[in-house]
Amino acid sequence: MAESLAHPLQSQAATHDSALARSIPWYIWACVIAVLSGVFGAVWDISWHESIGRDTFWTPAHMLIYLCGVLAGLSCGYLILSITFQKDSPLRDSGVTMWGVRGPLGAFICSWGAAAMITSAPFDNWWHNAYGLDVKILSPPHVLLALGMMGIRFGTVILILAEMNRAEGAYRARLEKLFLFAFLFLMATTVGMAQEFTNRVYMHGAQFYLVIMITAPIWIATVTRASKSPWAATIMTAMYTAMHLAFCWFLPLAPAQPKLGPVYQTVTHLVPPDFPLLLIVPAIVFDLLRRRTSTWNPWIQAPVLGAAFFAGFLAAQWPFATFLMSPAAHNAIFVANNYPYFVPATSLWVRNIFVHSEHSTTQFWMTMSIALAVAVLMTRIGFSFGDWMRRIRR
Amino acid sequence: MTSLRSRIFKLALLIVAVALPISAHVGSADVFFEGSAGPYHLFVTIRVPQVIPGVAEIEVRSESGDVRSIQIVPLRLTGQGSNLAPTPDLTVQSKDDPQFFTGNLWLMESGALQVRIMADGTKGKGEISVPVASFAQRVLPMEKPLEWTLLFLMIFLAVGIISIVGAGAREAKLDPGRVPGPPNSRHARIIMAATAVAVITALFLGRSWWGSVDLDYQRNVNHYKPPQAETSLENGNRLILRVSGLDTTWNGRIDLSKLILDHEHLMHLFLIGMPGMDRMWHLHPNPTPDGAFAENLPNMPAGRYQLYADIVDRRGFPWTLVAEVDLPQISDGVPLSGDDSSWSGAPLASAAGNQTVAALADGGRIVWNVPPGPLQSNVAMDFKFTVEDQSGKPAQDVQTYMGMAGHAEFVRSDFTVFAHVHPAGSVSMAALDLAQASLPGATSSPQDSNPEGMAMSMPMPNSSASIPPEVGFPYGFPQPGDYRIFVQVKRAGRVQTAVFDAHVQ
């Protein structure tokens, strides 16, 4: 009897010890480093385009972006091949099979992302030759590149999730932190891809809110279901904001001058990104409200939380946009004077004039209504997506 | 009778409004320029990119060996962007030919730009600006190997994502070690089918997006193609020209009432007999109150004429209007006067080789000091000519013609190339004035300081004073073929034209 009682306790202690002692696998770290390489590369590259101009493909920023694909592709490719051909691999049971090879689901997604990134390179090169060097972020080869980077980011999240959902105790807690950190880059990708529509001049137009509702609440809702943390949305968005602020504040410390012309703005340092969107406010609202509504049916909870996210963001960002347009924001803290060299002084951005993306009040409220509906829909989709993520074990 | 004839002529005037298969300005986009950057005389070639933004290739040859380095930098020609310069690029000095410098510059925008050239050497520093008409010339087609490679990769990625989603749906939620059962496989197949629909939809939308970008780009390419001149004939000999773009965007941007003077005239009109170029008129229509241009034509034989009309918009961008017109015989025309001139003679002789001596109407002649060997396309050359009098001696009565030692028109036999070139090169003289006015130290706009539109960079003596009988034209043939070169000089108050035929390999 004593023996039968002692065994589970000993076993539990052993599990606890092994969980504490267990380290996060190398391939997860490799993918996280790949993600960071892609993130730093992309932010640096955009700043490079805005400050110096893309005078050559071989900029360090471009190299960091492609290092993301190479690192994720090689590490996940090796992982899949080693599991496939090493019959006694301990990871064999926790893999999925595709095209006769076996490995974690996240590794396949990362490999796909790397392949998409590599495919985008000749496509993008041809695009530049055919249509000139693009000064836009949104172009078909760039979307393919972004899909590839998104694939690696998503694959990394799935790799962590599978490990996290099988883990317990302190090991799971460590993975949970890493998961929230890795997850923020999913939201950063979609919000970042839409940045041509999220400049401060659009912030008093309904189109801006529609774009944000398409790109942000799905991730907020997803992370709250995939993570057990009661502050998952807040922590994830706080890390997103902190990282964004770091780019805003540290990039301008590097001197830079335009190499391409014509030049419309005097640029002496790397141009930082815009001040981060105040997504932290609706994220806090989301976390606070979901506690009170945790027992609700998700079809009822989603409209409440989606609407709360929309209202919270609107309440925070609308007056903040007015502030960003004021001279008080034109400093090193709020970086509202971060004009790229190619923006003419006559542009509405430089003149701090809001663009009315809707032509009438009716159109404005219609678009706002659509934005609200999209926020609700995306929240509901996010719940389902998060529930699926919570069950990932391979 | 006059009224009836006028109506008949109006009806008879056929405007062939089909766009010529040519690229803008016309078929000769590269810039050839000769000028002085302070103490250094430079010959500059700017090979403009086919697409914008794109890389322009810059070649600079110094006349003397005392230039140590040359820096190049792009700016807009006028307005915003003309006063802030990016970091200059240093050209590479040839080891074999120290007087030859090469470099690359990104041209990021379409429109009227300038390339500023800063030379440094034993005589100190010198600076000059060369205007560049920057425009996309074509859309690059995708080569088959790349097309197939990308198609394969796209199929691979599409099938890959469907398979990954299937694997995830089938196994991802199972505990480690558990084998997926038939329900898992069935669920995976449904998810894969839905994913396939989503992927095909995404590919279709992507292709539509690509097509939309391609269409927009093609519109931009078309925007800079030589605009059509709409012509009509009034009162038997009054030619009216209006500009007609390809779309409303173009018509909104170019306004004939807002042009600037280009060496003394707002428009330089060339009428060249088709098909053999056996007749040529160089005229200068005046603006009309309703935004058109009008010219009272001299006596002309009936026939089809190729029309080229050079204008410069207020931003400094040079345009060449083109048209083919069928004109009736004009026998009550207005005699030529002022800077207007004409020529008639033998038609262009195909494959006749390079002609080096051409007669002038007064019995004198012009000798082309053509370099030995065949003429090559895409090679920058200095076309040097010497004007001789009736006795074969260098002429002593050469005068400036519209402010310059001479004018030359290079026309390809199929009329797909037309370049109006001056001793400063193929650049528009009005644009050149704007470029020099934007240099540091310039105090006023060229139109303010020089209302006649004369090239500030090339101050010439009084038009009645004699100038040296040698004249040079920096230029390069853009493609092989037979060309006719019209060289126009002024002797003793009379504009005279000599014609040279050239075969280019």
Side-chain angles (χ1 to χ4, degrees), chain A residues 30-31 34-35 67-78 107 110-111 113-114 152 156:
Chain A
C31 287
V35 167
L67 178 65
C68 165
V70 170
L71 190 55
L74 286 179
S75 52
C76 289
Y78 171 76
C110 281
S111 302
I152 291 170
T156 302

Side-chain angles (χ1 to χ4, degrees), chain B residues 50-314:
Chain B
Q50 296 283 304
V51 295
I52 300 293
V55 179
E57 295 169 16
I58 317 283
E59 299 165 5
V60 183
R61 174 170 290 287
S62 170
E63 195 176 62
S64 59
D66 46 10
V67 176
R68 280 197 301 260
S69 69
I70 289 179
Q71 291 184 315
I72 48 179
V73 67
L75 298 96
R76 280 212 86 84
L77 188 55
T78 57
Q80 293 184 68
S82 63
N83 54 353
L84 291 175
T87 308
D89 278 33
L90 187 64
T91 57
V92 177
Q93 188 172 17
S94 168
K95 287 178 182 167
D96 301 328
D97 182 359
Q99 288 171 233
F100 190 60
F101 299 80
T102 55
N104 293 324
L105 272 186
W106 278 95
L107 300 186
M108 297 298 290
E109 296 180 6
S110 299
L113 306 184
Q114 60 176 306
V115 171
R116 195 163 287 173
I117 295 172
M118 293 154 286
D120 195 0
T122 55
K123 295 176 185 168
K125 294 183 177 180
E127 200 168 1
I128 196 164
S129 258
V130 183
V132 178
S134 169
F135 56 95
Q137 297 171 57
R138 68 190 181 112
V139 179
L140 186 77
M142 188 177 278
E143 290 170 359
K144 283 292 171 194
L146 180 63
E147 192 177 334
W148 285 108
T149 305
L150 284 179
L151 186 66
F152 169 77
L153 288 169
M154 285 295 168
I155 292 170
F156 173 78
L157 289 173
V159 175
I161 195 68
I162 294 166
S163 302
I164 289 170
V165 168
R170 190 172 53 246
E171 299 178 68
K173 288 185 282 189
L174 297 178
D175 283 328
R178 270 193 63 190
V179 178
N184 301 108
S185 299
R186 196 163 46 246
H187 173 66
R189 279 196 292 275
I190 294 167
I191 297 289
M192 286 171 79
T195 307
V197 171
V199 166
I200 290 167
T201 306
L203 286 173
F204 177 75
L205 290 175
R207 187 68 192 87
S208 302
W209 182 18
W210 185 350
S212 160
V213 172
D214 190 75
L215 196 63
D216 281 349
Y217 194 84
Q218 188 60 59
R219 272 199 202 107
N220 197 36
V221 170
N222 291 341
H223 179 91
Y224 286 99
K225 279 186 174 172
Q228 286 292 313
E230 283 180 3
T231 56
S232 59
L233 199 62
E234 292 179 354
N235 304 324
N237 69 342
R238 186 171 168 81
L239 183 68
I240 307 293
L241 288 98
R242 292 179 194 279
V243 63
S244 164
L246 288 174
D247 54 38
T248 51
T249 315
W250 197 96
N251 291 329
R253 285 197 206 178
I254 303 302
D255 183 353
L256 276 189
S257 66
K258 291 177 182 169
L259 303 178
I260 58 175
L261 286 170
D262 187 11
H263 52 290
E264 304 182 17
H265 297 280
L266 288 174
M267 177 180 277
H268 294 262
L269 170 67
F270 299 89
L271 285 167
I272 302 173
M274 298 182 79
M277 301 192 223
D278 54 344
R279 301 179 298 279
M280 190 277 276
W281 281 265
H282 178 176
L283 308 171
H284 303 94
N286 291 311
T288 63
D290 62 347
F293 273 80
E295 174 72 16
N296 293 319
L297 295 176
N299 289 344
M300 298 175 74
R304 172 164 287 201
Y305 291 86
Q306 175 68 48
L307 180 153
Y308 300 109
D310 283 344
I311 55 174
V312 182
D313 72 23
R314 61 200 164 97

